[in-house]
Each structure stands twice: as C-alpha cells, then as structure tokens.
Amino acid sequence: MQNFTFANPTKIIFGKAVVAKLGPAAAEAGKKALLVYGGGSIKKNGVYDVLTESLRKNGVGIAEHPGVKPNPVLSHVRAGIAKARKEGCDLVVAAGGGSVIDEAKAIAAGALFSGDVWDFFCGKAQVREALPLFTALTLPATGSEMNCGCVVTNEATAQKFSAQGPAMYPRVSALDPETTLTLPREQVANGAVDSLAHIIEGYFTASDTDAAVTDEIVHALARSVVSSTLRILEDPADYNARASMMWSATLALNGLASCGYGRMNFINHAVEHSLSAIYDIAHGAGLAIVMPAWFRHHLETDGPARLESFGRAVFGVKTADRTIKALEAFFRKAGAPVRLKEAGIPAKDIPEIAENAMQLIRLWGMKHEQPEIEKILKKAK
Ligand code: NZQ
Ligand code: ZN
C-alpha cells in the first residue's frame, strides 16, 4: 500500500428535500449567486423553484446562466465568466448533472483569473482560487459534486480536456435522490457506466495492487452500482435504489476508491474523451464502448489476476473472460452501446480518434502510444 493524502472538504447534505438547505449555506458565502443550469430539466422536476426560493429567502440575489449543454463547451463557459463579472456575483450555484457542475467550476475559477480560462485545461495555468461553489446534483454519474475536477470541450479545436484544483471543490452539495426520479433511462445507463469506470480505473492500473481496504471499497461500490441500477431499471420509482446509486456514484470519484494504489491512470477516460469531443456522444455511452475493449487489451498485457478478483467479488464469476462478458452484459442490459458501430462511429475513424486521444494521454503524462490506442479501439469495432 503506497503513501497517500486523502482530504475532501465538500460537505454533503443527503436525502429528501435537502435542496432547500442550499440557501442558508450559500448566504454564509456571499450575496449574489450565478445560478448555472442546463436545458431545463430542473424546471420540470421542481429543483429550480425550491432552489431559487431558498436562495432569495436567505437574501442571496440571483443572475441566471442557463443552457449548459451535455459535454459543456468553452464558449458557454466564457459567456458565464463574463456574466458573473458583469453581475457582480460572489458565489456560484450549480443545479443539474456533471456537465452543469463542471461548467460552474470552470466559471468559478475563470471569474477570478486574469488570463484565459482554457489555460487551466491545457496545463498552461494552475487554478489557485475560485468563487465559492454550491451544487444541487440531479444525475448520479460523474462525482463532480464532491471532487475538484472539471471537464470542458473546446469546440473550436475538438479537445475535451480537464482542469483540477482544490479551490474548485464544492463547499456544499445537496444530494436528493428524489430529484433523480425524472432521469430518462438512457441517463440512468450513462451514470451507471461512468461511475463503474471511476471505480475501476485505479483498481486496474494501480502500481501497487496490495491495498486490500481500497480493493474492498471498490468491490462494494461496484456491487452497489450494479445492483442499484438493476433495481432502478426494474422499478424507476424505487427510492432506496436511487439513493444507493446516488451515494455510490459520489464515493466512486471523491478520492476514496484509489487510496494507496500509487501511480495509476485514467486510460479509458482519455480514450472516451475523444469520442465525446469528436462525435459529441454522452460520456457514459463512450465509456461503455471503450471499457470492454480495454479490458480485453488489459487481459493480454497484464494477465487475468485482477480481472478474476474483480469478477469474483462483483459478479460471482471465476474467470477473466467471464468478468468481461458480465460487465458487457450489464452495460447492454442498461441500454448502453458497447461497440463503435452501435453509436454510429465508423471503424475508419479509429486513427483519428487515437490521434485525438494522444493529446490527453500526453497531457496526463501516461505511457501509451498511438498504435496501442488504435489496437484497443479495433477491439471495439
Ligand atoms: O441539461 P438538462 O436539462 O439539465 O438535462 C440533462 C442533460 O440533458 C439531463 N438531466 C440531468 N438531471 C436530470 C436530467 N434529466 C431529467 N431528470 C434529471 N434529474 O441529463 C442530460 C445529461 O446531463 P450531463 O450533466 O451531461 O450528464 P453527466 O452527469 O453524465 O455529466 C457528463 C459530463 O461530466 C464529465 C463528462 O465528461 C461530461 O462532460 N465528467 C466529469 C467528471 C468530473 N468533473 O469529475 C468526471 C467524469 O469522468 C466525466 O468526465
Ligand atoms: Zn467518467
């Protein structure tokens, strides 16, 4: 087990009717909020009304920045920064899924930065400060509600890059599982795949695989994501399954599921970001295509040991091959695409996708070359 530092300052308020608690919390941080949200789901499920009433009742003014698109884009981030400055906002409130929270983080950091916000994403500048951020999460998937990373697409260059920095941890995140009852089935699938991807990246790429406590956290979270998702697919109104899924997805990428693993990498994510950047497909859908292919590659390069332990603990199967099949069957059952062609992506594009992925692979300091990435993608044909 390798040395590690674990620190996570985000306060989580979890359960029914907790969104109304964001007003009092935000009032302690400032007087005017930039309210960031997406295409309108929060107006349909009641989150918008509860949140704006809670902010106003507690004396927090609101300037709205709606229209964040899934796979948020740089131009909209820049517009949000300009609005936050013009309106004199001293805090940011995000309501929605990972895209909304990520864009809110970029705005919160960009509003206090004199340079270009994209510099944070291409490694030219560090995030040193950000406006205080509060979130109401409505889609369990990314873990953005309790981590300090954000992902934005530069639509002019087709680069989907990430920025990090402790200043971007949300101060408080409200997680009400009832707000997820309105999720379309497709987003339930995307969330399940993404949270599983967060759990497995460290587990399978760890430089130190003797960290039993973290392995057991990974196994438990993966079992919980799989069983909660199957319950949700069976009965979308199952509150306890929604609650278990929501907390599992948060814990999957808040730092807990990789403690002691030492050096690790996010290879599935690096490849997927290129699928989202080029074809604008959902992150979860892209991961469902990349992961089974990468697992088959991992079996060839690293052998069956890790896949066997994971499969035994999560799916009750004995071999590496059956583990990969069980994972793929779960993705299919949830309704996610598991091959490039199922998402309408032609195999002839593989070199272009791999070339795009190499940018992030280099930026993240990973030791992979383009031929290897093409080989992985060919297994997803
Ligand atoms: O825009 P609205 O109207 O809100 O609709 C959204 C959107 O269309 C809808 N939705 C959200 N909550 C809903 C709902 N619809 C009905 N009921 C609800 N309760 O769902 C759609 C997808 O939302 P989005 O936020 O894009 O999904 P997700 O949470 O999966 O976020 C994906 C983004 O996060 C990034 C991804 O790359 C992608 O850009 N990631 C962020 C990470 C992080 N910050 O740590 C890590 C991840 O690996 C990931 O890269
Ligand atoms: Zn992810």
Side-chain angles (χ1 to χ4, degrees):
M1 187 146 169
Q2 300 296 299
N3 292 0
F4 66 89
T5 300
F6 177 80
N8 194 309
T10 300
K11 176 174 175 177
I12 298 290
I13 314 177
F14 190 97
K16 293 180 184 176
V18 294
V19 172
K21 299 191 176 187
L22 285 177
E28 287 177 23
K31 292 207 170 332
K32 186 158 186 190
L34 185 76
L35 175 60
V36 182
Y37 59 95
S41 69
I42 62 160
K43 292 201 169 162
K44 290 191 199 127
N45 61 19
V47 169
Y48 176 87
D49 289 340
V50 172
L51 185 55
T52 50
E53 191 195 330
S54 169
L55 289 168
R56 289 204 177 98
K57 239 172 53 189
N58 286 279
V60 179
I62 299 171
E64 296 199 12
H65 183 57
V68 175
K69 66 177 274 313
N71 297 327
V73 290
L74 181 59
S75 57
H76 202 256
V77 170
R78 288 188 173 132
I81 292 169
K83 195 175 288 176
R85 286 178 180 153
K86 180 166 169 257
E87 298 281 346
C89 296
D90 51 6
L91 70 142
V92 179
V93 177
S99 295
V100 167
I101 298 176
D102 281 6
E103 178 161 331
K105 285 176 178 173
I107 293 170
L112 299 183
F113 183 56
S114 57
D116 178 11
V117 67
W118 188 244
D119 286 354
F120 293 139
F121 293 83
C122 44
K124 288 192 193 152
Q126 301 268 317
V127 175
R128 306 235 177 259
E129 52 179 349
L131 294 173
L133 173 66
F134 298 81
T135 87
L137 176 72
T138 64
L139 198 177
T142 63
S144 188
E145 66 280 5
M146 200 181 183
N147 68 40
C148 64
C150 62
V151 183
V152 167
T153 299
N154 183 335
E155 66 272 45
T157 58
Q159 290 168 314
K160 187 179 187 188
F161 287 180
S162 62
Q164 315 254 0
M168 292 192 292
Y169 276 107
R171 292 252 176 117
V172 179
S173 285
L175 277 55
D176 178 347
E178 285 190 324
T179 67
T180 71
L181 293 170
T182 52
L183 279 171
R185 196 183 153 109
E186 188 191 350
Q187 298 302 344
V188 171
N190 290 340
V193 176
D194 191 22
S195 45
L196 269 179
H198 298 156
I199 297 163
I200 63 96
E201 294 270 34
Y203 183 94
F204 284 98
T205 64
S207 63
D208 189 337
T209 52
D210 192 359
V213 56
T214 304
D215 283 359
E216 294 305 337
I217 289 171
V218 165
H219 295 156
L221 287 174
R223 278 198 303 271
S224 165
V225 168
V226 171
S227 64
S228 306
T229 303
L230 294 176
R231 276 173 62 174
I232 292 166
L233 294 175
E234 186 82 10
D235 175 12
D238 183 339
Y239 174 84
N240 285 325
R242 296 279 188 180
S244 191
M245 179 61 208
M246 200 170 205
W247 189 222
S248 303
T250 300
L251 293 174
L253 197 61
N254 75 345
L256 197 59
S258 55
C259 294
Y261 281 160
R263 205 168 19 80
M264 49 179 257
N265 77 39
F266 265 63
I267 179 64
N268 290 280
H269 276 74
V271 179
E272 191 298 306
H273 282 200
S274 294
L275 297 182
S276 290
I278 300 170
Y279 308 98
D280 200 19
I281 68 168
H283 177 60
L287 285 167
I289 294 167
V290 175
M291 280 162 69
W294 180 79
F295 274 124
R296 287 193 286 276
H297 176 72
H298 173 83
L299 180 56
E300 284 169 17
T301 55
D302 291 59
R306 219 52 183 151
L307 277 160
E308 284 171 3
S309 332
F310 187 80
R312 213 169 22 246
V314 178
F315 295 110
V317 298
K318 289 204 175 92
T319 66
D321 187 51
R322 281 180 189 273
T323 304
I324 299 170
K325 288 200 170 111
L327 196 84
E328 198 172 294
F330 170 68
F331 291 170
R332 274 196 194 283
K333 186 156 190 187
V338 294
R339 294 290 182 274
L340 290 166
K341 59 175 172 290
E342 292 170 27
I345 300 173
K348 71 169 175 48
D349 290 3
I350 285 175
E352 184 198 346
I353 302 165
E355 191 183 354
N356 187 293
M358 285 312 298
Q359 300 177 75
L360 207 48
I361 285 169
R362 286 191 202 103
L363 205 55
W364 286 353
M366 297 181 192
K367 294 193 180 0
H368 297 284
E369 295 301 333
Q370 189 168 329
E372 186 187 5
I373 305 306
E374 290 187 24
K375 200 172 160 201
I376 295 168
L377 285 164
K378 281 184 190 149
K379 292 184 192 297
K381 279 204 283 188

